[in-house]
Amino acid sequence: MVNESPDARPRRRLRPTRRGKIVLVVAALLVVSAAVLIPLSLFGSDEQKEKKERPQSTLVIPEGWRASQVYTAVDRALGLKSGTTQKAAGTVDLELPEQAEGNPEGYLFPATYPIDSATKPAGLLRYMADTARKRFGADHITAGAQRNNVTVYETATIASIVQAEADTASDMGKVARVVYNRLLKDMPLQMDSTINYALKRSTLDTTTTDTQLDSPYNSYVRKGLPPTPIGNPGEEALRAAISPTPGPWLYFVTVAPGDTRFTDSYDEQQKNVEEFNSNRRAATG
């Protein structure tokens, strides 16, 4: 959800984000995720590869997961001590873009990865990053970034916001357009998802105090994009980021599941926010 003026906002902001819901639907994602099956050809030694021709299990990385969630999932899947994969991420060369400054957020591509006893965190992370670079480096992505006057890395950042904010896949193009429209007008993005990222949480509630957070990810007070992606976007969010739906919208709010309203009128946005707050109070009361 986005608003123009912090002074005009209601005391509490309530905006469901896609990330907040992912935790609740991981089981469904295991069935319906259109993830890419990645072969194990880069894991382990040649001898180990010959012995492990078929994976024993798979690891699903859902669209929108943060790097911290990926690290935890890898540790669990490989039976490693908590923090092992995060430590490996700081030592392995993932060949990230210069703008990333070594932070792999956004470049741990969501997919279904076969794993076996030969799989190591470094090799798995390297394969995720390799897959992301191939996706992000495709000609149509590069052309889309140039068309929108942003870098490919910034496109990944926009896609991560779209992934977190869009209530449905059909809304993604409109959310992307809101991001671009606000950037063009030099308006702060005012996305709850960026604050949730800074606070390392997923929540439906954003308070006025939250919007005053001193963080480069606080898009309520800082203009422009956050310094890194806020999660690892999937293909649909990436497509939305390079080809946003045409429209004048500057605001949006999901009033009810499946009912996200987009507008370029601040007054209309405030009415929509009030309706959302009313629905939320009724649901939790």
Side-chain angles (χ1 to χ4, degrees):
M1 179 173 69
V2 293
N3 270 311
E4 180 173 10
S5 171
D7 294 334
R9 290 191 306 274
R11 182 177 177 274
R12 290 180 68 83
R13 299 203 164 280
L14 304 169
R15 167 72 171 92
T17 66
R18 188 177 180 89
R19 178 180 296 104
K21 297 172 185 175
I22 284 178
V23 175
L24 302 178
V25 297
V26 169
L29 282 169
L30 292 173
V31 178
V32 302
S33 174
V36 179
L37 186 64
I38 306 298
L40 258 181
S41 59
L42 294 189
F43 303 153
S45 66
D46 291 339
E47 181 180 359
Q48 289 171 325
K49 291 176 203 171
E50 292 174 359
K51 292 180 179 180
K52 301 293 181 180
E53 293 180 358
R54 291 182 297 178
Q56 296 175 342
S57 60
T58 57
L59 171 62
V60 174
I61 303 301
E63 297 171 345
W65 264 17
R66 300 168 186 166
S68 59
Q69 293 172 293
V70 175
Y71 300 151
T72 298
V74 172
D75 284 343
R76 290 175 178 172
L78 300 184
L80 302 173
K81 180 181 178 181
S82 178
T84 300
T85 302
Q86 183 172 1
K87 183 177 180 180
T91 60
V92 63
D93 182 9
L94 299 180
E95 300 182 26
L96 300 169
E98 184 177 350
Q99 284 179 280
E101 297 183 352
N103 187 340
E105 192 70 85
Y107 277 72
L108 302 177
F109 196 78
T112 299
Y113 295 91
I115 57 175
D116 62 24
S117 59
T119 305
K120 303 299 182 184
L124 190 52
L125 293 175
R126 189 180 296 111
Y127 214 118
M128 291 179 185
D130 287 347
T131 304
R133 283 199 314 277
K134 290 176 182 177
R135 295 293 191 278
F136 299 159
D139 290 343
H140 70 288
I141 301 297
T142 302
Q146 293 175 344
R147 185 170 61 248
N148 293 316
N149 198 31
V150 293
T151 66
V152 170
Y153 187 72
E154 288 169 334
T155 298
T157 299
I158 292 169
S160 73
I161 294 174
V162 169
Q163 188 79 63
E165 290 283 349
D167 184 53
T168 64
S170 60
D171 288 335
M172 286 185 172
K174 290 183 177 181
V175 172
R177 176 56 64 190
V178 170
V179 172
Y180 283 114
N181 285 348
R182 293 182 77 91
L183 290 174
L184 287 172
K185 289 181 176 293
D186 197 32
M187 299 170 65
L189 296 183
Q190 297 186 325
M191 300 286 179
D192 293 354
S193 57
T194 64
I195 290 179
N196 279 338
Y197 183 79
L199 294 173
K200 299 180 181 180
R201 69 183 189 187
S202 295
T203 181
L204 302 181
D205 302 327
T206 300
T207 67
T208 299
T209 299
D210 291 338
T211 64
Q212 298 168 353
L213 179 71
D214 182 14
S215 168
Y217 292 92
N218 183 355
S219 63
Y220 274 83
V221 297
R222 295 175 183 261
K223 296 179 180 180
L225 294 172
T228 71
I230 59 171
N232 294 282
E235 296 279 9
E236 288 181 310
L238 190 59
R239 283 196 295 269
I242 62 171
S243 300
T245 305
W249 312 293
L250 295 171
Y251 315 93
F252 67 91
V253 59
T254 300
V255 174
D259 182 11
T260 300
R261 300 178 189 176
F262 296 82
T263 181
D264 59 349
S265 166
Y266 179 75
D267 290 340
E268 184 177 351
Q269 170 71 358
Q270 291 304 98
K271 292 178 181 178
N272 291 336
V273 169
E274 279 302 313
E275 184 173 343
F276 170 73
N277 287 338
S278 177
N279 290 343
R280 177 78 170 146
R281 285 191 295 267
T284 58

